[in-house]
Amino acid sequence: MARPALLTDQIESFRERSCDAALELFSERGYDGFTLRALGEALGCSSAKPYRYFRDKTEIFNVACGRAFDHFSEFLEERLADVQADSDPWERIAVLGRAYAEFARTHPHAYRVMFHLIPPGGVQTSTK
């Protein structure tokens, strides 16, 4: 009997939870120490289930890292929203610097993966 098709929101929800767990695992264990078994344990599912949502470990890394950068960008934009567009450029730079440090402090796993972790062979880009 075939598995029922997944709904779009189910797919997105699992991918989001997977990326959150993957960021923590990549941060703590490094790229080589990350396993789908560990991801499955963190999510409370089998180690095979992520393959239904991601092609491989590289795709999990790229998607998780991409989402972290998207979140970082939104974080910086939110902090700049309170600064007048015509304000002193140095003030804007100071706001961005404080926001950058705040992001690093409040999202340490994302920060480490984004700026310190490079998988073997460099970051792979999608061909899609």
Side-chain angles (χ1 to χ4, degrees), residues 47-59:
S47 59
K49 185 173 181 177
Y51 284 117
R52 192 169 181 199
Y53 300 84
F54 298 95
R55 185 174 42 255
D56 56 19
K57 176 178 167 175
T58 300
E59 183 180 16

Side-chain angles (χ1 to χ4, degrees), residues 80 88-98:
L80 274 179
D88 176 43
W90 292 109
E91 178 185 349
R92 294 175 62 79
I93 290 170
V95 168
L96 282 174
R98 286 190 299 275

Side-chain angles (χ1 to χ4, degrees), residues 2 9 16 20-21 44 52 56 58 60-61 82 85 106 110 122 126:
D9 61 332
E16 188 172 327
D20 291 342
R52 192 169 181 199
D56 56 19
T58 300
I60 293 170
F61 178 84
D82 296 333
T106 58
S126 174

Side-chain angles (χ1 to χ4, degrees), residues 32-88:
D32 290 333
F34 175 92
T35 64
L36 288 173
R37 178 175 298 211
L39 180 61
E41 288 173 8
L43 296 170
C45 67
S46 73
S47 59
K49 185 173 181 177
Y51 284 117
R52 192 169 181 199
Y53 300 84
F54 298 95
R55 185 174 42 255
D56 56 19
K57 176 178 167 175
T58 300
E59 183 180 16
I60 293 170
F61 178 84
N62 288 338
V63 171
C65 196
R67 286 179 186 223
F69 273 107
D70 289 344
H71 182 65
F72 179 57
S73 174
E74 291 166 6
F75 192 89
L76 295 179
E77 289 174 7
E78 287 171 4
R79 298 314 184 272
L80 274 179
D82 296 333
V83 179
Q84 296 295 325
D86 62 347
S87 66
D88 176 43

